Amino acid sequence: MPIRYILKQFLLPPGLFLLLLLAAWWLRRRFPRLALLCFVAGLGGMGLFSLPVVVEWSARALETEPALDQQQWRTLAQQAEVIVVLGGGRELADPGWGADQPSLLALERVRFAARLAKASGLPLLTSGGLHYGALPSEAALMADVLVGDYGLSVRWQEGLSRTTWENATGTAQLLKKAGISRVVLVTQAWHMPRARWSFEQAGLQVISAPMGFLGTANGRPAGGWLPESKAVWQNGLLLNEAVGLLAYRLFYKGAVAQP
C-alpha cells in the first residue's frame, strides 16, 4: 500500500479527528490545556462532519458547474465528439457478482453517461486505472457495465490513470490520435471543477455534464442537523476535493500534456 495513501487517511478527516482525540488522551497529564484543545477540536470536528447540513453547505461551494439541460442531451453530438466517463473506485471481489465491480460513485457516473449516449448517439470512453497494479482496470469494469447493463459499446478505454490529472492526460493522448478534441465530461458535480480544469489543461474542449449533486436540499429530519454516518463520508469526500482542487492549481498550473 502506497505510503501517500496511508498519510492521506490520517491527515484528512475522519482520521485527523481520531488522531486529535488520541493526542488529547496522551497529553492529558503533562499538557492538560493542550489536551483539552485537541479533545475539543477532535470531537467538535467529528460532530460537524456528521451533519448533513454541513454536506449541503460545503457542496454548494464546490458545485460551480451547472447541470446540463435535458433538452440539450439530444444535440450534444453537434457540440462534442465523445462522452468521457471518469472512474470513481471499485469494490473488490464481490461474491454476488463473482468479480470486482465499480463503486457506487462510479456506477452513478456510468448510468448518467449511458443516458447521455442513448440520447445523443455519441461514442463512449471510460477512464480509470488499476487497483494498486491489479487487473482489471476501472475503465474495463465500467465498460463491462455499459455493455452488459445498458447495451452500449465503449470505443476507447483509458486504463492506466491513478488520478484525475492522469485521467485527463491519458484520455487526451488517446483522443488526439483519433483527431478528437471536444468531449462531454461525466463525473459528480463536486468533482467537476477539478476534472474540467484538468481536461482543459490537457488541451481538450469540455462540455461539463455534472451529476450527483450534494448541494441541494438535504431532505433529512431536523433540516440535516442530526448526525449521520453517511455525512462523515460525504464531508470527507468534499474536503478531499477542496484540497485536491487547490493542490492541482498549485502544482499543475501551466502544465500541458503532450501526446
Side-chain angles (χ1 to χ4, degrees), residues 83-90 101-110 113 125-130 137-143 146 157-168 171 185-188 190-191 194-195 199 211 237 241:
I83 296 170
V84 176
V85 54
L86 302 185
R90 71 170 72 192
Q101 293 298 306
S103 71
L104 292 177
L105 289 177
L107 287 173
E108 287 182 358
R109 299 174 187 183
V110 165
L125 181 150
T126 54
S127 176
L130 306 178
S137 67
E138 289 184 30
L141 291 174
M142 292 189 296
L146 284 162
Q157 294 182 32
E158 183 287 300
L160 299 177
S161 56
R162 298 162 296 175
T163 65
T164 301
W165 179 257
E166 292 180 0
N167 286 146
T171 296
L185 186 60
V186 175
T187 189
Q188 268 76 18
W190 44 264
H191 181 233
R194 180 161 62 111
F199 274 72
M211 37 65 62
L237 289 175
E241 189 58 35

Side-chain angles (χ1 to χ4, degrees), residues 62-73:
L62 288 171
E63 294 174 347
T64 56
E65 298 279 343
L68 277 179
D69 189 318
Q70 292 192 20
Q71 295 182 352
Q72 189 181 353
W73 292 7

Side-chain angles (χ1 to χ4, degrees), residues 73-147:
W73 292 7
R74 295 187 181 277
T75 62
L76 284 174
Q78 300 172 20
Q79 307 166 63
E81 299 159 282
V82 61
I83 296 170
V84 176
V85 54
L86 302 185
R90 71 170 72 192
E91 304 299 335
L92 295 179
D94 187 310
W97 292 98
D100 293 0
Q101 293 298 306
S103 71
L104 292 177
L105 289 177
L107 287 173
E108 287 182 358
R109 299 174 187 183
V110 165
R111 181 186 177 211
F112 194 66
R115 187 69 64 89
L116 293 178
K118 288 185 176 182
S120 66
L122 285 170
L124 287 156
L125 181 150
T126 54
S127 176
L130 306 178
H131 183 84
Y132 303 127
L135 293 169
S137 67
E138 289 184 30
L141 291 174
M142 292 189 296
D144 287 345
V145 171
L146 284 162
V147 172

